[in-house]
Amino acid sequence: MTLTFTKYQGLGNDFILVDNRSSQEPLITPEQAEKLCDRHFGIGADGVIFALPGQNGTDYTMRIYNSDGSEPEMCGNGIRCMARFIADLEGDQAKASYTIHTLAGLITPTLTEDGQVRVDMGHPRLMSSEIPTTIPTEKVIDQPLEVAGQSWNVTCVSMGNPHCITFVEDVAAIDLEKIGPLFEHHPVFPARTNTEFLQVVRPDYIKMRVWERGAGITLACGTGACASLVAAVLNGKADRQATIELPGGPLRIEWAEDDRIFMTGPATRVFGGKVEV
Ligand code: ZDP
């Protein structure tokens, strides 16, 4: 079959967007998505995102396949791209704000006048069972974890998807290619995990590098930036509003007093096309 797609990117975290309004199920399989994400034999992307009809009274439903074909619950950069994509699809009918159902619950992106997308990401979850992790404390805040023969102090936060955060002196010095997979597949994370390495430069400015579950090294991770701010606040290292500097550029993250997280950043159309799957 021929699939019509549009590519978008948010800080270099890139996605193939599919207009899936005609069906409740994604138009392609996880295996087909994995092939399309391949940077040499396919279109190239960190994941495929499907804009499906809404559920529970929402405007749309978002589903996503990672570049390895696995399905995460949520995707922060992806939902900014999806908001821009549906506004582009709807043209004159486009709204400033959309309600989107995801496997992590209701997410609400707003297209702002300065061309950014601000997303109400909902609440962070901290209970070990919600991450999920088998690290034997109720919450995992600054707990030791043995990885690659070294002890790391980790904090675990779920933004619907799992994140393991650790603070380092110099993010540039981390051998992500080697260490990332060892965190992702560590036996204490039954659903695997995304891993963020943070260098706190100032309480309102943090550098972050990420190894993503199912996608490896990416230039940015929205849910990861949100989880990182929460972890930095819980460890007494950051303000509740900060800029998270990713290899692909900065994201503005805010942990509001009512416990909701807001993420603000760009989302840009790259190109569209048709591909045989
Ligand atoms: O949880 C996972 O398996 C992630 N790979 C999902 C994608 C997260 C993303 N990078 C983000 O911005 O939140 C898209």
Side-chain angles (χ1 to χ4, degrees):
M1 98 178 189
T2 305
L3 181 75
T4 302
F5 69 91
T6 314
K7 246 197 88 172
Y8 282 74
Q9 57 88 14
L11 300 180
N13 195 193
D14 58 343
F15 303 97
I16 298 163
L17 274 291
V18 177
D19 178 1
N20 216 115
R21 290 177 294 180
S22 61
S23 162
Q24 300 287 344
E25 283 304 314
L27 295 178
I28 61 170
T29 64
E31 294 72 30
Q32 290 170 326
E34 190 180 348
K35 285 194 184 129
L36 292 183
C37 286
D38 190 288
R39 296 196 184 277
H40 302 288
F41 296 96
I43 298 164
D46 293 325
V48 180
I49 293 175
F50 306 90
L52 301 125
Q55 282 173 42
N56 313 333
T58 59
D59 298 323
Y60 286 90
T61 297
M62 175 175 87
R63 290 198 38 203
I64 162 168
Y65 294 146
N66 282 320
S67 53
D68 76 350
S70 60
E71 180 168 13
E73 302 80 356
M74 231 310 264
C75 175
N77 286 316
I79 207 147
R80 291 201 318 279
C81 290
M82 171 149 158
R84 177 79 63 216
F85 175 60
I86 56 194
D88 289 347
L89 280 179
E90 292 183 2
D92 290 348
Q93 309 298 316
K95 302 201 291 180
S97 197
Y98 289 96
T99 51
I100 300 183
H101 175 77
T102 72
L103 295 177
L106 173 69
I107 309 287
T108 318
T110 301
L111 294 118
T112 64
E113 285 184 359
D114 61 358
Q116 301 262 100
V117 186
R118 175 177 158 90
V119 187
D120 177 346
M121 299 281 284
H123 307 277
R125 287 149 240 190
L126 300 177
M127 302 303 281
S128 299
S129 57
E130 299 173 294
I131 304 298
T133 175
T134 58
I135 296 175
T137 50
E138 206 180 38
K139 295 176 181 174
V140 180
I141 300 170
D142 199 25
Q143 293 295 316
L145 181 69
E146 188 82 10
V147 182
Q150 196 183 329
S151 181
W152 304 74
N153 272 42
V154 302
T155 296
C156 295
V157 178
S158 168
M159 287 305 303
N161 56 351
H163 294 273
C164 174
I165 293 101
T166 187
F167 298 92
V168 298
E169 287 276 304
D170 177 10
V171 277
I174 295 293
D175 187 354
L176 262 191
E177 198 87 53
K178 180 176 153 238
I179 293 290
L182 301 175
F183 274 93
E184 180 180 356
H185 298 282
H186 197 292
V188 297
F189 300 115
R192 296 156 51 202
T193 191
N194 297 286
T195 307
E196 287 80 25
F197 298 87
L198 303 189
Q199 178 184 343
V200 180
V201 179
R202 291 191 310 268
D204 65 349
Y205 185 77
I206 300 169
K207 288 188 186 173
M208 169 186 142
R209 287 178 71 205
V210 58
W211 176 270
E212 276 190 42
R213 175 181 69 170
I217 295 173
T218 59
L219 295 181
C221 177
T223 51
C226 296
S228 291
L229 179 76
V230 170
V233 170
L234 293 174
N235 283 277
K237 293 177 188 289
D239 301 337
R240 291 181 75 107
Q241 288 192 32
T243 297
I244 311 286
E245 186 74 49
L246 301 136
L251 276 179
R252 190 77 194 150
I253 313 290
E254 203 180 311
W255 188 8
E257 291 306 327
D258 67 2
D259 195 40
R260 282 182 300 165
I261 310 268
F262 293 88
M263 169 192 68
T264 308
T268 308
R269 182 181 189 277
V270 187
F271 65 92
K274 290 182 194 301
V275 63
E276 286 305 317
V277 290

Short mmCIF file of all heavy atoms in Angstrom, two decimals, residues 13 24 36 43-44 47 65 70 76 89 107 110 119 134 139 147 164 185 198 202 215 220 226 261-262 264 273:
data_model
loop_
_atom_site.label_atom_id
_atom_site.label_comp_id
_atom_site.label_asym_id
_atom_site.label_seq_id
_atom_site.Cartn_x
_atom_site.Cartn_y
_atom_site.Cartn_z
N ASN A 13 14.43 15.96 17.34
CA ASN A 13 13.79 14.67 17.64
C ASN A 13 12.74 14.55 16.53
O ASN A 13 11.80 15.35 16.48
CB ASN A 13 13.16 14.76 19.02
CG ASN A 13 12.77 13.44 19.66
OD1 ASN A 13 12.05 13.45 20.65
ND2 ASN A 13 13.21 12.32 19.15
N GLN A 24 -9.53 3.63 13.59
CA GLN A 24 -9.21 3.56 15.02
C GLN A 24 -7.87 2.85 15.26
O GLN A 24 -7.35 2.88 16.38
CB GLN A 24 -10.30 2.79 15.78
CG GLN A 24 -11.69 3.39 15.68
CD GLN A 24 -11.84 4.66 16.50
OE1 GLN A 24 -11.03 4.95 17.37
NE2 GLN A 24 -12.89 5.43 16.20
N LEU A 36 10.44 2.14 8.15
CA LEU A 36 10.36 3.54 7.70
C LEU A 36 11.30 4.43 8.51
O LEU A 36 11.80 5.43 8.01
CB LEU A 36 8.92 4.07 7.82
CG LEU A 36 7.89 3.46 6.87
CD1 LEU A 36 6.54 4.14 7.08
CD2 LEU A 36 8.32 3.58 5.41
N ILE A 43 12.70 6.32 5.51
CA ILE A 43 12.59 7.79 5.51
C ILE A 43 13.59 8.36 6.53
O ILE A 43 14.23 9.38 6.27
CB ILE A 43 11.15 8.21 5.92
CG1 ILE A 43 10.13 7.67 4.91
CG2 ILE A 43 11.04 9.73 6.04
CD1 ILE A 43 8.70 7.69 5.44
N GLY A 44 13.70 7.66 7.66
CA GLY A 44 14.55 8.11 8.75
C GLY A 44 13.75 8.90 9.78
O GLY A 44 13.16 9.93 9.44
N GLY A 47 10.65 7.95 15.41
CA GLY A 47 9.40 7.25 15.69
C GLY A 47 8.34 7.61 14.66
O GLY A 47 8.53 8.51 13.85
N TYR A 65 4.91 4.63 17.59
CA TYR A 65 5.85 3.50 17.61
C TYR A 65 7.26 4.08 17.63
O TYR A 65 7.58 4.97 16.85
CB TYR A 65 5.69 2.62 16.37
CG TYR A 65 4.36 1.89 16.28
CD1 TYR A 65 3.77 1.66 15.04
CD2 TYR A 65 3.72 1.39 17.41
CE1 TYR A 65 2.56 0.98 14.92
CE2 TYR A 65 2.50 0.71 17.31
CZ TYR A 65 1.94 0.52 16.06
OH TYR A 65 0.75 -0.15 15.95
N SER A 70 8.67 -0.74 19.21
CA SER A 70 7.95 -0.82 20.49
C SER A 70 7.03 0.39 20.63
O SER A 70 7.21 1.40 19.96
CB SER A 70 8.95 -0.89 21.66
OG SER A 70 9.78 0.25 21.70
N GLY A 76 6.81 13.53 24.37
CA GLY A 76 6.67 14.98 24.56
C GLY A 76 6.96 15.79 23.31
O GLY A 76 6.16 16.63 22.89
N LEU A 89 -3.26 20.13 9.07
CA LEU A 89 -4.29 19.33 8.38
C LEU A 89 -5.63 20.07 8.37
O LEU A 89 -6.35 20.06 7.36
CB LEU A 89 -4.53 18.00 9.12
CG LEU A 89 -3.58 16.84 8.94
CD1 LEU A 89 -4.05 15.67 9.80
CD2 LEU A 89 -3.51 16.43 7.48
N ILE A 107 -3.54 14.81 27.37
CA ILE A 107 -2.46 15.79 27.19
C ILE A 107 -3.04 16.94 26.37
O ILE A 107 -3.79 16.70 25.41
CB ILE A 107 -1.25 15.17 26.47
CG1 ILE A 107 -0.78 13.87 27.14
CG2 ILE A 107 -0.11 16.18 26.37
CD1 ILE A 107 -0.07 14.01 28.46
N THR A 110 -1.04 23.57 23.26
CA THR A 110 -1.54 24.85 22.77
C THR A 110 -0.51 25.47 21.83
O THR A 110 0.68 25.51 22.17
CB THR A 110 -1.78 25.81 23.97
OG1 THR A 110 -2.71 25.19 24.86
CG2 THR A 110 -2.33 27.16 23.52
N VAL A 119 2.72 22.67 26.15
CA VAL A 119 1.94 21.46 26.41
C VAL A 119 1.72 21.26 27.90
O VAL A 119 2.67 21.28 28.68
CB VAL A 119 2.66 20.20 25.85
CG1 VAL A 119 1.76 18.97 25.99
CG2 VAL A 119 3.07 20.40 24.40
N THR A 134 11.77 -2.17 40.14
CA THR A 134 11.79 -3.06 41.30
C THR A 134 12.81 -2.59 42.35
O THR A 134 13.05 -3.30 43.32
CB THR A 134 12.14 -4.51 40.88
OG1 THR A 134 13.42 -4.48 40.22
CG2 THR A 134 11.09 -5.07 39.94
N LYS A 139 9.58 5.31 46.69
CA LYS A 139 9.92 6.19 45.58
C LYS A 139 11.42 6.07 45.39
O LYS A 139 12.14 5.78 46.36
CB LYS A 139 9.61 7.66 45.93
CG LYS A 139 8.14 7.93 46.15
CD LYS A 139 7.94 9.37 46.59
CE LYS A 139 6.46 9.63 46.83
NZ LYS A 139 6.23 10.97 47.38
N VAL A 147 25.59 0.09 37.59
CA VAL A 147 25.53 -0.08 36.13
C VAL A 147 26.95 0.00 35.59
O VAL A 147 27.69 0.93 35.92
CB VAL A 147 24.68 1.03 35.44
CG1 VAL A 147 24.60 0.79 33.93
CG2 VAL A 147 23.28 1.11 36.03
N CYS A 164 14.78 7.33 34.09
CA CYS A 164 15.77 7.17 35.15
C CYS A 164 16.77 8.32 34.97
O CYS A 164 17.33 8.48 33.88
CB CYS A 164 16.45 5.81 34.99
SG CYS A 164 17.82 5.58 36.12
N HIS A 185 18.19 -1.71 29.64
CA HIS A 185 17.86 -3.13 29.82
C HIS A 185 18.19 -3.64 31.23
O HIS A 185 18.20 -4.84 31.45
CB HIS A 185 18.59 -3.97 28.77
CG HIS A 185 18.19 -3.62 27.37
ND1 HIS A 185 17.01 -4.07 26.82
CD2 HIS A 185 18.78 -2.83 26.44
CE1 HIS A 185 16.90 -3.57 25.59
NE2 HIS A 185 17.96 -2.83 25.33
N LEU A 198 22.19 14.44 33.58
CA LEU A 198 22.01 15.89 33.78
C LEU A 198 23.25 16.54 34.37
O LEU A 198 23.87 15.98 35.29
CB LEU A 198 20.87 16.16 34.77
CG LEU A 198 19.48 15.62 34.46
CD1 LEU A 198 18.51 16.21 35.47
CD2 LEU A 198 19.06 15.96 33.06
N ARG A 202 23.09 25.87 36.49
CA ARG A 202 22.49 26.80 37.46
C ARG A 202 21.12 26.21 37.82
O ARG A 202 20.60 25.39 37.08
CB ARG A 202 22.25 28.18 36.81
CG ARG A 202 23.50 28.97 36.48
CD ARG A 202 23.12 30.42 36.10
NE ARG A 202 22.06 30.47 35.08
CZ ARG A 202 22.28 30.53 33.77
NH1 ARG A 202 23.51 30.53 33.30
NH2 ARG A 202 21.26 30.56 32.93
N ALA A 215 14.81 3.78 21.02
CA ALA A 215 15.26 4.71 19.97
C ALA A 215 16.74 5.06 20.10
O ALA A 215 17.33 5.57 19.16
CB ALA A 215 14.41 5.97 19.98
N ALA A 220 16.81 15.09 21.39
CA ALA A 220 15.95 15.71 22.41
C ALA A 220 14.89 14.72 22.85
O ALA A 220 14.56 13.79 22.12
CB ALA A 220 15.26 16.95 21.85
N CYS A 226 10.95 16.91 31.04
CA CYS A 226 9.99 17.12 32.14
C CYS A 226 10.38 16.29 33.36
O CYS A 226 10.44 16.80 34.49
CB CYS A 226 8.57 16.73 31.69
SG CYS A 226 7.94 17.77 30.37
N ILE A 261 2.86 19.65 34.86
CA ILE A 261 4.10 20.05 34.19
C ILE A 261 3.76 20.69 32.85
O ILE A 261 2.95 20.15 32.09
CB ILE A 261 4.98 18.83 33.90
CG1 ILE A 261 5.17 17.96 35.14
CG2 ILE A 261 6.31 19.26 33.29
CD1 ILE A 261 6.36 18.29 35.93
N PHE A 262 4.39 21.83 32.57
CA PHE A 262 4.22 22.49 31.28
C PHE A 262 5.55 22.49 30.54
O PHE A 262 6.59 22.80 31.12
CB PHE A 262 3.72 23.92 31.47
CG PHE A 262 2.33 23.98 32.02
CD1 PHE A 262 2.11 23.98 33.39
CD2 PHE A 262 1.24 23.99 31.17
CE1 PHE A 262 0.81 24.00 33.91
CE2 PHE A 262 -0.06 24.01 31.68
CZ PHE A 262 -0.27 24.01 33.05
N THR A 264 7.40 23.87 26.95
CA THR A 264 7.26 24.77 25.81
C THR A 264 8.46 24.63 24.89
O THR A 264 9.61 24.68 25.35
CB THR A 264 7.15 26.23 26.28
OG1 THR A 264 6.12 26.32 27.27
CG2 THR A 264 6.82 27.17 25.13
N GLY A 273 5.48 13.38 1.83
CA GLY A 273 5.67 12.52 0.67
C GLY A 273 4.79 11.28 0.74
O GLY A 273 3.92 11.16 1.61
#
